[in-house]
Amino acid sequence: MSLPVPYLASRTLTVVKPIDTSGARRVVNLGLNESWLGTPPGAIEAIRATAESVHRYSDPGCKAMRAAIGSTFSLDPARIVCGNGSEELLDAIGRVYARAGDEILFPAYSFLQFAIVAYRIGARAVEVPLAANFAVDVDAILAAVTPATRVVFLANPNNPTGVAVPMADVARLARELPSHIVLVLDAAYAEYVDPAEAMKNYEITDRHPNVVVTRTFSKAYGLAAARAGWAYAHPDMATALNNVRGIGNVNGMAQAAAAVAIAAQDFVREVRERTAEGREYLHGRLRSLGFELSPSVANFAFARLPGAPAGWAQETVARLARQGFVFRSNEDYGLPDWLRVTVADKADLDEMLDLLAVEVDAADTKLAVEG
Ligand SMILES: Cc1ncc(COP(=O)(O)O)c(C=O)c1O
């Protein structure tokens, strides 16, 4: 008997890693960069109200959702494409603009999804070296362009490092990149930076028809499970993306919630301010435990304990998960010594940090014994 053979080789790369929390009384997930601050007023009610008519198909054109996004940011709804999370849109961009054998460029230690997009279409994922402190090097990206380059992904701020790229550098990249190459500005964490800076992403798409911005409702808007994101691009690119996305890609409940949520910019401002306070607190406590930090501006810290024994970060993640605190180790990013911890409620952070302090002490003791 012969079985169908997939064209894609099997892979282990995944954005969401399984983790064993058995034995924990309660689980606090600090491993997915979700928001602990809930959803904008009216969003859950909109989901409930739409659920009443769940026997009806949702609007495949996401008209109300696009109109709401357009009016909030003064954007042209015809240039907005909605997605089943921004993840679907990143994937669609890859499928529309690159194929097997092409090159997809992104800075080293970028969001794992970029490599996954390349994998799915058989393109080559090319990682561009960074400058010091996880800073994106625009000149290095430009120097890495070859005749095979089709797409450049830039997450700003980036996950897992949390590092922002100054908008002047992004603008220069858009200016100097050959215009037949698609530049994707993945702004999933842009709500956590100055809104005026985030708006510059859209201005860049006005000047450069090869640039597309992707945004998400999964982070600051607190709608991760709804699966809603959007892209903003030149009308031709919007048409191309609409051609490949799923017809009913954004379900009616998600559309309704997103349309309400986007108008709640006061809520988003509060999320930004409280997340910044929480991040400063988390950074301070991690620093006093001896951790080195990336200069994250997003809703998570990215930290490494200098001198810790090999494997310590992964073992610590596994041990804390069994005590109910999940965060992310980053060996799959090629950064096995680094931990990513989402900002959360102070009481939860304190409880987690006390457990982490025990792990740090154990690492120090181990080093002292071995040294
Ligand atoms: C940089 C970045 N882009 C995009 C996404 C995808 O988010 P979603 O598909 O939930 O919109 C994530 C999720 O963590 C992310 O970290």
Side-chain angles (χ1 to χ4, degrees), residues 35-41 44 219-223 267 271:
S35 173
W36 85 104
L37 295 167
T39 45
I44 290 178
K219 306 297 173 186
Y221 295 94
L223 290 167
F267 171 89
V271 168

Side-chain angles (χ1 to χ4, degrees), residues 199-242:
M199 284 304 290
K200 290 181 184 164
N201 284 300
Y202 302 120
E203 292 161 24
I204 293 173
T205 67
D206 291 340
R207 290 196 297 275
H208 303 283
N210 59 320
V211 179
V212 50
V213 179
T214 57
R215 305 289 302 253
T216 184
F217 285 94
S218 301
K219 306 297 173 186
Y221 295 94
L223 290 167
R227 309 308 300 129
W230 80 97
Y232 192 69
H234 184 274
D236 291 352
M237 197 184 279
T239 301
L241 295 178
N242 274 318

Side-chain angles (χ1 to χ4, degrees), residues 15 32-33 84-88 90 111 114 155 157-159 186 188-189 215-219 224 227-229:
V15 172
L32 291 171
N33 299 341
N84 190 259
S86 55
E87 171 204 358
E88 184 199 16
L90 299 173
F111 181 40
F114 303 160
N158 181 45
N159 169 17
D186 175 347
Y189 296 92
R215 305 289 302 253
T216 184
F217 285 94
S218 301
K219 306 297 173 186
R227 309 308 300 129

Side-chain angles (χ1 to χ4, degrees), residues 37 40 191-195 220-221 261-277:
L37 295 167
E191 285 79 12
Y192 297 106
V193 303
D194 175 0
Y221 295 94
I262 201 76
Q265 290 303 309
D266 284 348
F267 171 89
V268 174
R269 182 173 37 76
E270 196 184 326
V271 168
R272 176 166 47 253
E273 289 168 3
R274 291 183 59 186
T275 304
E277 279 167 27

